[in-house]
Amino acid sequence: MAFTSILRKTANSLAPLAIRLTRVQRSYHSCIFTALNHGLQSQHPTVNRFYPNTLHFSTAVDSQKSASDESLLRVIESEIQCAEESDEYDQAEGTPSEFPFKIEDTPGLQTITLTREYDGELIKVNVHMPDLVTGEGEADDDDDDDTEKPSKSNVPLVVNVSKKGCPSLEFNCTAYPDEITIDSLSVRNPNSEDELAYEGPDFYDLDENLQKAFHKYLEIRGIKPSTTNYLHEYMINKDGREYILWLKNIKKFIEE
């Protein structure tokens, strides 16, 4: 009897605790559900407020970019057409029959290379873009006797003359209309085209007869006014072609 009474009292004391635990658990689940539901509801106004604006901003940027690109393409196409119609783009007349060199012209490069063999020698000439002088300001220069005369248009040349097993001679020249000057003369190591064996003195410090002899040395190897005058026109035309190629490459990039 006493044992039964104890069990009944214990059961009675545990029942309220179980009820309270159940209520707490239900309350916990209810709080989670409420929090989740509130979180989901609170996200909707954010999406509604900001997402359409972001989409509108992105669309506006894309529209501005497209309009800017189309405007740039129109300007580039107009410039290409203008360059192709200009006199500078006209192809030079055929290579003169007496022109002694083979021309290597690679599109995209600012130089061309001339090569020829002469009496066991290999002659290689790197021809750079011309330095053009329009003659503006000549009238002002004429009024002042102490002022140097304006420079003439010219084409820079690097002439290398080599023989097997020997050092090569490298002349840095400037070709003017009907005139060629030698700016420097160096001796290069035969084992390396990039290594100078001897740079040499200032060319204009050499004896005048020695200077004339070197000019004659180049002339009989094809470096003479008839050659460089043709190169002057050729490089002007190449400059125009390279400019158009540059524009077309930019146009292609924008279109893709």
Side-chain angles (χ1 to χ4, degrees):
M1 293 291 292
F3 179 73
T4 301
S5 176
I6 292 173
L7 288 179
R8 187 178 297 110
K9 290 180 179 181
T10 302
N12 291 336
S13 62
L14 290 177
L17 176 61
I19 293 172
R20 288 197 301 270
L21 289 175
T22 301
R23 288 177 180 175
V24 169
Q25 189 175 23
R26 287 179 181 177
S27 177
Y28 173 74
H29 286 294
S30 177
C31 289
I32 293 178
F33 177 80
T34 302
L36 289 175
N37 187 47
H38 176 72
L40 290 175
Q41 289 178 352
S42 63
Q43 290 179 0
H44 289 296
T46 303
V47 172
N48 290 336
R49 280 202 305 267
F50 295 104
Y51 181 75
N53 292 338
T54 304
L55 180 61
H56 176 72
F57 175 76
S58 176
T59 304
V61 170
D62 291 343
S63 178
Q64 292 177 359
K65 176 178 179 296
S66 178
S68 175
D69 289 356
E70 290 176 0
S71 176
L72 178 58
L73 284 173
R74 286 195 298 270
V75 175
I76 291 176
E77 289 170 354
S78 177
E79 182 67 13
I80 291 173
Q81 182 179 359
C82 180
E84 289 178 340
E85 293 174 353
S86 69
D87 294 335
E88 291 184 356
Y89 182 67
D90 292 341
Q91 294 291 335
E93 296 180 359
T95 304
S97 58
E98 67 273 13
F99 191 78
F101 292 95
K102 176 184 176 182
I103 300 177
E104 299 177 11
D105 186 349
T106 303
L109 297 182
Q110 298 296 303
T111 61
I112 64 172
T113 302
L114 310 179
T115 55
R116 73 170 298 199
E117 293 183 0
Y118 176 80
D119 196 22
E121 300 173 349
L122 175 62
I123 303 170
K124 182 178 179 180
V125 184
N126 289 325
V127 185
H128 296 259
M129 286 296 182
D131 182 10
L132 299 178
V133 177
T134 62
E136 294 180 358
E138 290 185 6
D140 295 335
D141 292 335
D142 292 340
D143 295 336
D144 188 354
D145 295 335
D146 296 332
T147 304
E148 294 184 0
K149 292 182 179 180
S151 301
K152 299 178 182 178
S153 297
N154 61 80
V155 177
L157 309 173
V158 179
V159 184
N160 185 277
V161 182
S162 62
K163 296 179 181 180
K164 290 184 178 180
C166 298
S168 62
L169 302 181
E170 185 171 277
F171 298 81
N172 282 279
C173 305
T174 304
Y176 298 93
D178 301 320
E179 180 186 6
I180 300 171
T181 64
I182 299 175
D183 304 315
S184 66
L185 170 58
S186 305
V187 180
R188 285 200 172 272
N189 191 318
N191 298 323
S192 175
E193 292 185 358
D194 298 326
E195 183 177 347
L196 283 174
Y198 186 66
E199 187 172 357
D202 190 311
F203 187 81
Y204 296 100
D205 290 340
L206 299 177
D207 180 80
E208 186 176 350
N209 290 328
L210 185 55
Q211 293 184 40
K212 291 180 179 179
F214 277 124
H215 277 283
K216 189 64 177 180
Y217 177 88
L218 290 180
E219 181 181 347
I220 65 175
R221 285 162 176 78
I223 308 302
K224 51 189 177 181
S226 61
T227 298
T228 57
N229 287 347
Y230 170 75
L231 289 175
H232 188 273
E233 297 298 324
Y234 186 96
M235 295 306 290
I236 290 176
N237 290 326
K238 177 176 173 62
D239 189 38
R241 294 194 301 271
E242 294 300 333
Y243 177 58
I244 292 173
L245 179 61
W246 176 73
L247 288 172
K248 288 183 176 180
N249 284 333
I250 295 176
K251 178 177 178 288
K252 181 179 179 182
F253 173 82
I254 296 174
E255 290 176 334
E256 291 182 350

